[in-house]
Amino acid sequence: MVSKFLHPNQDSLAQQLGIVVADFESAEAVVNAIEAKLGKESLEERSRWFVISVLRQLKKAKWATPNDSQLDGAKQKALAKQCLAVTGFATSLQTVTKDNRSKFRIVGFASSKNIERGKLATGTKAYKIAASVLAEAGTISLPATKSANKAKQTPAQKAKATAKVRREEAKEGKTSGQSVKQAKASGLEAVEKTVVGRRAQRRGYSSDASLHVADAAKGLSDSKQAATMSEEEFANLDAALNRSDAEIIQQNWADQPREDRWSRVLGVLAGVGFFVFVTLLFL
């Protein structure tokens, strides 16, 4: 009695070849008899079943026989021969279908092999070659890879793509340069404000006066188009700061009460008189 592992496809092929399945005691013996009957065409027949199985997988179809693929026998054999003509396919196919349960039948595919469930791996060389041959024959449409699209570009398209990349790189470089200049300008402005503030504090000005001087310095800093200043620009900045200092001194003196001014004058005169008195005393 033939084992249950004999697939209906194998049973059908054996009958087409005139093999009496009932005469064999195992499925393996039936598959061996099929190979012996086919002789030199055995590998081509194995390739035909394998390629149709790959086509079924890629189309996500559910057919049970090669004829359900809508491809006639001549087309099926032609695809099988094209795959065998690719270096490495025959060797990979023999390894992949080494088990008799995977020969002369429709098989499924998954990420890993499972012979008991009729599944072969999609990562084998035989599978990849079969998929490529089917795509070239127009029986399926494979998603184009990025490298394949790049290879198919015309010289004009490649030049256009290259120019676009260079424009983007130049734009990024310009933006980075502007950011650096802005950072330098901001840093210079902060330093100038700090210097002006400290100078104002040493001269006894109020915080409002310091801000006034800092604003004057900021006006000069905003007029610069670069992050560095020449000697002439530094001189202009120093002159502006000195003018601001003089204005603040005059303003502070004018704002003081008249009594305070007279008190300071009398204090100065008293100091002078005391100095003269001491000088005459020791003469």
Side-chain angles (χ1 to χ4, degrees):
M1 182 177 179
V2 179
S3 170
K4 63 180 181 180
F5 290 114
L6 184 66
H7 193 272
N9 293 150
Q10 297 170 332
D11 187 4
S12 176
L13 179 60
Q15 293 182 23
Q16 291 177 21
L17 296 173
I19 299 173
V20 181
V21 176
D23 294 342
F24 299 89
E25 296 181 355
S26 66
E28 184 177 1
V30 174
V31 173
N32 290 335
I34 292 174
E35 288 186 316
K37 189 75 173 182
L38 291 171
K40 294 180 179 180
E41 297 179 356
S42 175
L43 186 59
E44 181 180 319
E45 184 65 14
R46 285 168 67 176
S47 176
R48 181 177 74 91
W49 285 94
F50 183 83
V51 172
I52 297 303
S53 298
V54 174
L55 179 62
R56 175 178 179 266
Q57 172 72 14
L58 294 174
K59 285 193 170 184
K60 299 181 180 179
K62 300 295 183 182
W63 63 60
T65 67
N67 292 334
D68 294 335
S69 66
Q70 305 301 318
L71 297 177
D72 57 34
K75 181 65 174 178
Q76 294 175 26
K77 290 183 178 181
L79 290 172
K81 289 180 179 179
Q82 289 178 29
C83 289
L84 289 170
V86 179
T87 303
F89 177 81
T91 303
S92 179
L93 176 65
Q94 290 174 332
T95 302
V96 169
T97 59
K98 183 178 181 179
D99 193 294
N100 283 339
R101 289 172 290 180
S102 302
K103 298 176 183 178
F104 311 117
R105 56 161 290 190
I106 296 292
V107 295
F109 292 92
S111 58
S112 59
K113 179 174 65 175
N114 190 330
I115 299 297
E116 287 71 19
R117 299 184 61 184
K119 299 286 186 179
L120 299 180
T122 57
T124 63
K125 191 172 185 178
Y127 181 91
K128 295 177 180 179
I129 292 175
S132 178
V133 169
L134 290 169
E136 292 176 359
T139 56
I140 57 171
S141 298
L142 293 179
T145 61
K146 187 174 182 180
S147 59
N149 289 335
K150 185 176 181 180
K152 292 180 180 179
Q153 286 181 340
T154 63
Q157 291 174 331
K158 290 182 179 180
K160 185 177 180 180
T162 302
K164 182 178 179 181
V165 172
R166 290 180 177 176
R167 286 197 301 270
E168 292 177 352
E169 291 177 349
K171 183 177 179 181
E172 291 177 358
K174 183 177 180 181
T175 303
S176 300
Q178 291 177 347
S179 300
V180 171
K181 289 183 178 180
Q182 291 175 356
K184 288 182 178 180
S186 300
L188 180 60
E189 179 180 338
V191 171
E192 290 175 354
K193 284 187 176 182
T194 302
V195 172
V196 171
R198 291 179 178 177
R199 182 183 294 180
Q201 290 176 359
R202 289 198 303 268
R203 297 181 180 180
Y205 303 154
S206 63
S207 59
D208 292 338
S210 299
L211 292 176
H212 177 73
V213 176
D215 290 339
K218 183 178 182 300
L220 293 176
S221 178
D222 291 340
S223 65
K224 297 181 182 66
Q225 296 180 352
T228 59
M229 292 190 300
S230 63
E231 295 181 359
E232 182 180 356
E233 290 172 332
F234 272 115
N236 292 337
L237 174 61
D238 188 64
L241 294 176
N242 291 332
R243 288 197 299 272
S244 298
D245 292 346
E247 292 175 0
I248 293 172
I249 293 173
Q250 293 177 0
Q251 182 178 358
N252 290 341
W253 178 259
D255 291 340
Q256 291 179 354
R258 181 175 298 178
E259 293 79 3
D260 292 342
R261 293 201 298 270
W262 277 110
S263 296
R264 291 188 178 186
V265 171
L266 293 175
V268 171
L269 293 176
V272 172
F274 179 76
F275 177 75
V276 172
F277 172 76
V278 171
T279 302
L280 294 176
L281 183 63
F282 287 95
L283 288 179

